[in-house]
């Protein structure tokens, strides 16, 4: 359940994407949550750092954060944004999920090793570990 008042929320979702349809698809399942949460939308790359800085400033409220990063929106800067988000883990209960990832390959494996969860909502399941041939 989405709420407007952060004081009544149990967690926060930071959604970094400029694609309205993708955002709507991702948030549809979250909206059915029985736990109230607030959404912070970041639609422009230049606003990512400010959104993360705000999370650090707001930490006394001790609210867990789920950061959803749209790989198709971020492209080549996705890895550095993941690093920045996960760098906050020592100061916040934070999980980082990369959506619409590139095909399974080195970058996907690197993102996973960094601690990000990689999820392709179009496939409706988490990106599997590569099969050994």
């Amino acid at each position: 359940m989405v709420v407007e008042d952060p004081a009544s929320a149990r967690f926060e979702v930071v959604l970094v994407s400029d694609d309205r349809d993708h955002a709507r698809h991702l948030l549809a399942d979250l909206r059915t949550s029985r736990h109230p949460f607030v959404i912070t939308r970041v639609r422009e790359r230049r606003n990512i750092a400010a959104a993360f800085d705000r999370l650090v400033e707001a930490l006394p409220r001790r609210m867990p954060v789920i950061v959803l990063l749209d790989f198709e929106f971020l492209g080549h800067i996705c890895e550095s944004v993941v690093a920045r988000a996960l760098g906050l883990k020592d100061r916040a209960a934070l999980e980082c999920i990369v959506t619409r990832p590139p095909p399974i390959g080195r970058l996907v494996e690197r993102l996973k090793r960094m601690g990000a969860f990689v999820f392709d909502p179009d496939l409706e399941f988490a990106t599997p570990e590569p099969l050994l041939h």
Side-chain angles (χ1 to χ4, degrees):
M1 153 180 44
V2 179
V3 295
E4 296 292 323
D5 178 19
S8 63
R10 300 269 311 270
F11 66 97
E12 180 173 355
V13 174
V14 176
L15 175 56
V16 180
S17 178
D18 66 344
D19 185 325
R20 289 179 190 251
D21 291 335
H22 179 61
R24 188 178 12 242
H25 182 75
L26 288 173
L27 295 174
D29 288 336
L30 286 173
R31 289 185 196 280
T32 64
S33 171
R34 61 185 170 101
H35 302 290
F37 66 95
V38 294
I39 299 171
T40 299
R41 291 285 314 271
V42 180
R43 294 178 182 95
E44 297 180 28
R45 289 182 185 97
R46 68 175 187 233
N47 295 335
I48 296 169
F52 289 165
D53 290 344
R54 187 196 51 77
L55 289 176
V56 174
E57 292 168 5
L59 286 179
R61 66 184 181 190
R62 304 275 187 234
M63 187 183 311
V65 179
I66 300 170
V67 177
L68 295 171
L69 303 172
D70 179 3
F71 182 85
E72 287 187 17
F73 169 62
L74 294 172
H76 70 280
I77 67 166
C78 187
E79 189 174 355
S80 63
V81 174
V82 166
R84 174 91 189 258
L86 292 175
L88 300 174
K89 282 190 98 157
D90 63 339
R91 295 182 271 171
L94 182 139
E95 290 298 327
C96 184
I97 302 170
V98 176
T99 67
R100 299 196 298 185
I104 296 173
R106 290 183 185 152
L107 179 57
V108 169
E109 291 308 310
R110 192 165 43 246
L111 293 171
K112 288 179 181 181
R113 281 193 305 272
M114 291 172 70
F117 183 73
V118 180
F119 178 75
D120 189 339
D122 295 331
L123 298 176
E124 304 246 352
F125 57 86
T127 303
E129 295 298 321
L131 299 173
L132 298 176
H133 296 283

